[in-house]
Amino acid sequence: MSTIRTAETSSRLRCIVCGATPGSAGQDFRCTTCGDLLEFFFPGWTSNQDPPAFDPAALKSLWLNRRTSLDALDQSGVWRFRELLPHIPNPEEHVITLGEGNTPLYRLPRCARATGVKNLRAKHQGMNPTASFKDTGMTVAASSAHQGGFRWVACASTGNTSASMAAYAARGNMRSLVLIPDGKISWGKLSQSLDYGALTCQLRTDFDGCVRILNELVRQKPVYLLNSVNPYRIEGQKTAAIELMEQLAWEPPDHIIVPGGNLGNSSAIGKALLEMRELKLISRLPKLSIIQAHGANPFYRSVREFGGKKLEPMTADTLATAIRIGNPASWKKALRVLQATGGEVEEVTEVEIAAAKAEIGADGIGCEPASAVTLAGLKKLRRSGFVKPGEAVVLILTGHTLKDPDFTVKFHRGDLFTGTSGEIEGAPAKYLQRAPVVLDADLGAVIAALDAAERNSKC
Ligand code: F0G
């Protein structure tokens, strides 16, 4: 196993608000002085340091070479970048990997035409082992739990964190406790945590209610918290941005657009961008923009109405259940990277989300509803002039289309918005619907359907 350590690169914890630097974290991963969130920082990485912490060219070539290695850590698209992650002692014993990361970067030609942004791509984090971006953070945080000797790990979730946690816990011989809002997550995600052996509790509350119970629980029981307040999660999720830059030959795009729920992912991607610039791996920063669903938009309102000075929790409601979150834990971290990169925050409607999801699907890619807010947001950012036609844009697709097939089938059948205001608002999106055609088992009927489809595609 090869590593470059040309300088002091060990990581430390720091409170994002009061700056306290505790030697270790408590069970709730909050600062014992002021109660806010902790983050990792790397004291040896200051930009004016001589000699620099890393030789950027040597680091890039080391990471590239690992792509051909047979070592399990090198084959992981997370641990391949371990120089920029907190160190896990005895990785052979403690690292739990499912070969996460290494996700594709696709061009979206139809979406590019629809938005007028020629250089449009999607980094598909739904192509991870449990089909969402959560795996990149989970491999690091679950490994830290293993290294700490924990028997139980736990999370509150809208479905993807729980699926990922349950899988990594199972691989690491740990038990997992899942708290999910009853009836408000997709079956696909619920089925994953059952299959991976989690103790799955469906609580009669929403995601924010699950978080409140879990925060109390970790103070009373020796369970390891795996929500994204856990800074190890954020460190692992940084690697999506590092891998993206490698895929773009270290030439940053002008914009990166991410969905915003609990706001851990945007914080992680932004942190990676800032660190890569500090280490001279990239020479300029892309603008990182965050998109929320209108019915779950506390961060949008915080920035637009209160200049980011406070965040008012809300009761969230959206069909994009992954981001149905009213009190996002990492909003201060997300605000910092939004401001540092000069990004924008937007909100999109339910109909805009559904239409964008179908458009991404029509490019042969597909994603879950929460991921599609990125394309819907891009359309708004184009209309406001924040994104210009000649600029390069990357959407981060966070989950696989098979995570929530119910949503997709209802949209195409035309009953996703039945009985809601979306019924009228959604009329212009009808041309995107491809309802299944039910026919007799008759060759003539199939040929007639084929001919009709061909005629329609010409007009
Ligand atoms: N997209 C998907 C598919 C998600 O599952 C989530 C969050 C997000 C976007 C938002 O990311 O919270 O880091 O801002 N899902 C969490 C969960 C909350 O429990 O699975 P975020």
Side-chain angles (χ1 to χ4, degrees), residues 167-191:
Y168 282 83
R171 298 296 297 174
N173 284 319
M174 295 180 287
R175 296 295 317 276
S176 62
L177 168 69
V178 163
L179 302 187
I180 46 172
D182 186 27
K184 289 166 196 147
I185 76 165
S186 77
W187 289 107
K189 297 173 190 179
L190 175 64
S191 71

Side-chain angles (χ1 to χ4, degrees), residues 14-32:
R14 176 171 61 199
C15 171
I16 60 161
V17 169
C18 76
T21 53
S24 63
Q27 300 260 114
D28 61 356
F29 290 103
R30 290 200 172 257
C31 174
T32 45

Side-chain angles (χ1 to χ4, degrees), residues 114-397:
T115 54
V117 175
K118 227 169 128 193
N119 191 348
L120 176 61
R121 299 187 218 219
K123 171 97 175 129
H124 207 326
Q125 294 298 96
M127 299 300 196
N128 267 293
T130 75
S132 87
F133 72 99
K134 305 287 181 180
D135 295 341
T136 56
M138 204 54 74
T139 179
V140 179
S143 300
S144 142
H146 194 272
Q147 197 263 324
F150 282 85
R151 175 167 157 70
W152 281 90
V153 294
C155 72
S157 181
T158 55
N160 279 328
T161 301
S162 44
S164 180
M165 177 187 78
Y168 282 83
R171 298 296 297 174
N173 284 319
M174 295 180 287
R175 296 295 317 276
S176 62
L177 168 69
V178 163
L179 302 187
I180 46 172
D182 186 27
K184 289 166 196 147
I185 76 165
S186 77
W187 289 107
K189 297 173 190 179
L190 175 64
S191 71
Q192 284 182 290
S193 72
L194 302 180
D195 218 24
Y196 304 141
L199 167 57
T200 305
C201 301
Q202 297 179 266
L203 304 189
R204 289 185 206 95
T205 177
D206 55 11
F207 169 80
D208 302 292
C210 292
V211 170
R212 279 194 295 276
I213 304 259
L214 185 63
N215 284 340
E216 289 299 316
L217 181 88
V218 296
R219 287 190 202 110
Q220 295 190 24
K221 288 287 195 185
V223 297
Y224 185 91
L225 179 66
L226 277 176
N227 276 87
S228 58
V229 295
N230 180 326
Y232 285 96
R233 286 266 316 272
I234 302 294
E235 291 302 301
Q237 285 173 211
K238 288 189 323 192
T239 56
I242 307 172
E243 188 177 87
L244 170 65
M245 293 306 146
E246 185 184 63
Q247 287 167 313
L248 294 171
W250 302 97
E251 185 52 51
D254 299 293
H255 297 272
I256 298 178
I257 302 182
V258 289
N262 216 16
L263 297 170
N265 201 33
S266 35
S267 305
I269 288 172
K271 186 172 193 279
L273 296 174
L274 295 169
E275 289 178 357
M276 282 190 280
R277 193 188 51 174
E278 181 99 32
L279 294 170
K280 300 194 167 52
L281 290 161
I282 54 173
S283 56
R284 63 188 175 85
L285 287 176
K287 293 187 176 74
L288 181 69
S289 292
I290 302 172
I291 317 296
Q292 295 206 294
H294 171 72
N297 65 353
F299 185 63
Y300 170 83
R301 286 181 26 241
S302 163
V303 175
R304 293 288 178 104
E305 289 172 27
F306 310 119
K309 295 215 163 40
K310 63 169 181 172
L311 180 133
E312 276 186 359
M314 65 186 289
T315 303
D317 196 16
T318 169
L319 293 172
T321 51
I323 50 174
R324 196 173 192 276
I325 295 173
N327 189 14
S330 295
W331 73 274
K332 288 181 192 162
K333 287 186 180 179
L335 181 68
R336 208 174 45 181
V337 297
L338 190 80
Q339 290 170 341
T341 66
E344 187 57 285
V345 57
E346 257 308 345
E347 62 166 358
V348 292
T349 66
E350 297 293 293
V351 170
E352 287 170 332
I353 297 171
K357 183 175 137 42
E359 286 176 297
I360 295 168
D363 255 324
I365 304 298
C367 62
E368 69 165 283
S371 310
V373 302
T374 54
L375 180 66
L378 170 61
K379 289 185 195 168
K380 286 189 97 167
L381 295 174
R382 273 285 294 120
R383 285 200 292 275
S384 71
F386 184 73
V387 174
K388 315 224 164 19
E391 291 185 314
V393 178
V394 175
L395 310 178
I396 306 292
L397 302 183

Side-chain angles (χ1 to χ4, degrees), residues 1-5 54 58-85 102 246:
M1 203 199 316
S2 51
T3 13
I4 301 183
R5 280 184 191 272
F54 297 110
L59 210 45
K60 289 175 188 177
S61 104
L62 174 73
W63 291 339
L64 203 57
N65 285 337
R66 282 185 186 150
R67 278 180 169 277
T68 57
S69 161
L70 298 179
D71 182 290
L73 283 198
D74 292 347
Q75 287 184 352
S76 156
V78 170
W79 296 102
R80 194 157 70 82
F81 302 108
R82 54 189 170 270
E83 284 72 17
L84 305 197
L85 301 179
N102 298 317
E246 185 184 63

